[in-house]
Amino acid sequence: MGSGVFIAHYLNDRSSLEFQGPLLDGGPEFYGFLWFFFELLGDAPDHRLSVGQLKAIAHQCFSTPERVKAFIISALEAGLFKREGEWIWCDELDRRFGHALNAMPFRKRKEQARIMDSVKRGNEKEYPADFEDFWAAYPRREGKVKAYEQFMINLKNGCSAQKMMQSARNYAKARAGEDMQYTLMPSTFLGPSQRWKEYIASSRQAIAVAEKPKEEHCPVCGALLPVSTASSCLKCWFPLSDAKSKEKVEAYKREYEKPFVSVDPNSLMEMIRQKMKNQGKVIVNHG
């Protein structure tokens, strides 16, 4: 079984108007793509994917770039996905990632929901002073609402606003003069991976930590790996936990360079059987 963040899958998802768009356009194939995308978006920095990653995404979906592109268009037309430039995201997925809010006692949950609704309407005065101090100190000021959500979740979990503030100052010193593209988004900095805790120490130590991953490249496709919470390469989707294994790197290279598989269920099942056989596992055929 996999591990990581749980994403709610409601029993009536298929009856949602937004979900029905891809389901009507592509049947179970597109519905399966949707959940593949939820996993990929959830693992990507700030839950956004580039439409330029069609080849890598198609491999993950056992399909072709043409079919994946058709699915993305369907999801955009249904209002399930949003797009800005080359980036796509899903507001519904972002909402489900806010599950920590639903775990709060009802009174606190109601109060927090009121604050977030006000903030999303643009009422900047609703941000508390300690968050505004953090925001002013942080070197990359993008995605303020998401950053505030993570800030409040951390406070509810017992984290110190003063320490988050100090880590923002140290991180700003560590990133001074560096390319903003490789500076963590504030929501990522404060998010589930808790990267901010790496920068509570002195700014000198923070600089050493910040410089470590700056020039790392994917061993499969050579893409630059920016600082992020992603566990896979954002171009070819190679799992970075396997980067030190030469055998796994070479095997993935061969797999990545193969022609795309057909979406025919029989050929897909045969390919899965062969992979499981090579791994010494047995598939029981219930058909």
Side-chain angles (χ1 to χ4, degrees):
M1 298 293 289
S3 61
V5 178
F6 287 98
I7 304 172
H9 185 165
Y10 303 114
L11 294 179
N12 62 343
D13 270 341
R14 66 187 183 280
S15 64
S16 164
L17 292 177
E18 292 83 0
F19 281 54
Q20 277 190 349
L23 186 59
L24 291 173
D25 288 341
E29 179 194 10
F30 277 15
Y31 196 63
F33 283 180
L34 171 62
W35 291 98
F36 269 116
F37 267 74
F38 268 23
E39 292 184 10
L40 297 177
L41 285 163
D43 195 36
D46 296 298
H47 310 322
R48 293 189 173 210
L49 288 176
S50 168
V51 293
Q53 300 169 4
L54 283 179
K55 181 176 180 181
I57 295 173
H59 270 288
Q60 292 290 310
C61 297
F62 300 97
S63 188
T64 65
E66 291 75 21
R67 293 300 292 164
V68 170
K69 184 177 181 180
F71 163 75
I72 292 174
I73 293 173
S74 175
L76 288 169
E77 290 177 346
L80 182 60
F81 287 179
K82 300 289 181 62
R83 179 174 179 176
E84 182 177 332
E86 68 170 310
W87 299 100
I88 57 173
W89 70 93
C90 176
D91 287 339
E92 173 62 18
L93 176 65
D94 290 345
R95 187 185 68 80
R96 296 186 187 195
F97 265 95
H99 63 85
L101 179 61
N102 295 326
M104 295 179 185
F106 178 75
R107 182 179 59 79
K108 292 183 178 179
R109 184 166 72 243
K110 187 175 181 180
E111 177 185 358
Q112 181 69 2
R114 179 188 62 77
I115 293 174
M116 287 311 305
D117 286 343
S118 179
V119 167
K120 289 176 180 178
R121 288 196 300 268
N123 297 333
E124 296 289 319
K125 62 181 180 180
E126 291 288 350
Y127 289 111
D130 53 2
F131 175 74
E132 289 288 11
D133 291 340
F134 168 87
W135 188 254
Y138 198 75
R140 184 174 182 177
R141 300 184 187 92
E142 299 178 45
K144 192 171 185 178
V145 171
K146 289 184 179 180
Y148 174 64
E149 289 176 334
Q150 293 297 334
F151 186 87
M152 294 303 294
I153 288 172
N154 288 347
L155 288 182
K156 297 299 182 183
N157 290 333
C159 298
S160 165
Q162 184 178 2
K163 287 185 177 180
M164 285 190 280
M165 173 67 175
Q166 184 60 45
S167 69
R169 288 173 176 164
N170 288 338
Y171 188 55
K173 293 177 182 178
R175 298 301 302 167
E178 300 292 341
D179 191 338
M180 191 59 64
Q181 177 184 356
Y182 303 120
T183 298
L184 290 169
M185 291 287 285
S187 57
T188 302
F189 185 75
L190 295 170
S193 64
Q194 298 290 280
R195 295 295 304 276
W196 67 274
K197 292 183 178 180
E198 300 173 16
Y199 302 92
I200 297 176
S202 68
S203 58
R204 186 181 298 275
Q205 291 172 303
I207 290 172
V209 171
E211 287 179 345
K212 285 182 181 178
K214 188 167 57 176
E215 294 299 330
E216 290 186 1
H217 294 264
C218 173
V220 173
C221 67
L224 181 66
L225 301 175
V227 179
S228 73
T229 58
S231 60
S232 304
C233 171
L234 299 181
K235 181 178 179 182
C236 70
W237 241 268
F238 175 70
L240 300 179
S241 58
D242 295 337
K244 294 183 179 180
S245 171
K246 292 184 179 179
E247 293 79 8
K248 290 182 178 180
V249 169
E250 292 303 318
Y252 195 89
K253 282 183 178 179
R254 292 192 296 271
E255 183 71 20
Y256 185 62
E257 293 168 357
K258 282 182 180 180
F260 291 102
V261 300
S262 168
V263 295
D264 176 69
N266 293 326
S267 63
L268 178 58
M269 193 62 194
E270 182 58 35
M271 185 193 71
I272 294 175
R273 284 198 184 95
Q274 188 60 42
K275 283 190 174 183
M276 297 295 283
K277 182 179 179 181
N278 293 340
Q279 296 174 7
K281 298 180 181 180
V282 177
I283 292 182
V284 178
N285 192 336
H286 295 286

